[in-house]
Amino acid sequence: DVYKRQGVAKPMIPVGGRPFLEWQLEWLRREGVEEVVLSLGYRAEEIEGHFRVERVKGVRVRWVKEEEALGTGGGARLAAHVVETAWCVVCNGDSLCPAGLGALRDAARREGVEVVMLVCEVDDVRDYGSVIVGEGGMVEGFVEKGSAAGRGVVNAGVYYVRTMWLRGLAERVPLSLEREVFPVMRQGQLWAVRADVPFLDIGVPERLMAAEAFIQKWVAGRECV
């Protein structure tokens, strides 16, 4: 990982004069989120130290520490054990899709739903893999990264999730939501909502070039709650 070689945790990469993670919190504040639990692994002390003081007004930040790399599923499961609400928002630390969360909450009211995934349409899915979504919004399958190209729908890395479902995930280490959990969920448990805004993925350094303009347009330039 190029970021690790540079000694930088992805969520702490500066964008527009602030760590990327702070912009995620600004968006969550706008959506009414008042408390965030970070699942910390690489350079945990750096992130913990930064958020010991309030960085985004009105958002309380807590954290749990991964003793080993748990993957996206394992990290979310660990954090879920200190979450007190029945449902929670799970976000990847290296991407941002600042869409409204109301549609995800509405979709979660369907009987049997455990996860509602935010998806986004992009010009070329080859770097991401794609999500097959039925007309009603039910997720019907996934196409692996590199298996297809061209315009399509991709996972935007934001999920509205039943907390008890998260706590019950397998304790396999590491555990990936994207590769090991979502593809084997039963029909009707996983739904998708299409974002009405684009998303930013800083998972590779090349995409950082567009990050500041994205933040200024879609996060910094918008009024927060």
Side-chain angles (χ1 to χ4, degrees), residues 4 25 34 38 48 65 103 109 115 123 131 133 137-138 145 161 166 175 187 200 217:
K4 286 188 177 181
L25 299 187
E34 298 177 345
L38 306 176
E48 178 183 336
K65 291 187 178 181
R109 296 193 178 105
V115 180
D123 291 331
V131 185
V133 182
M138 186 187 298
K145 176 179 176 180
V161 183
L166 260 185
L175 179 68
Q187 186 177 34
L200 171 68
K217 180 175 182 178

Side-chain angles (χ1 to χ4, degrees), residues 200-216:
L200 171 68
D201 175 10
I202 62 166
V204 295
E206 291 78 11
R207 297 192 186 116
L208 271 176
M209 296 176 64
E212 187 164 348
F214 180 98
I215 292 295
Q216 289 302 317

Side-chain angles (χ1 to χ4, degrees), residues 33-81:
V33 175
E34 298 177 345
E35 182 175 81
V36 170
V37 179
L38 306 176
S39 187
L40 303 180
Y42 178 67
R43 298 188 72 86
E45 294 75 15
E46 172 191 348
I47 301 173
E48 178 183 336
H50 183 81
F51 286 99
R52 283 193 180 279
V53 298
E54 186 180 68
R55 299 291 179 174
V56 175
K57 187 176 180 180
V59 179
R60 180 191 177 200
V61 178
R62 295 191 290 157
W63 45 81
V64 292
K65 291 187 178 181
E66 302 180 19
E67 299 302 322
E68 56 185 322
L70 299 179
T72 52
R77 182 190 63 232
L78 181 65
H81 284 285

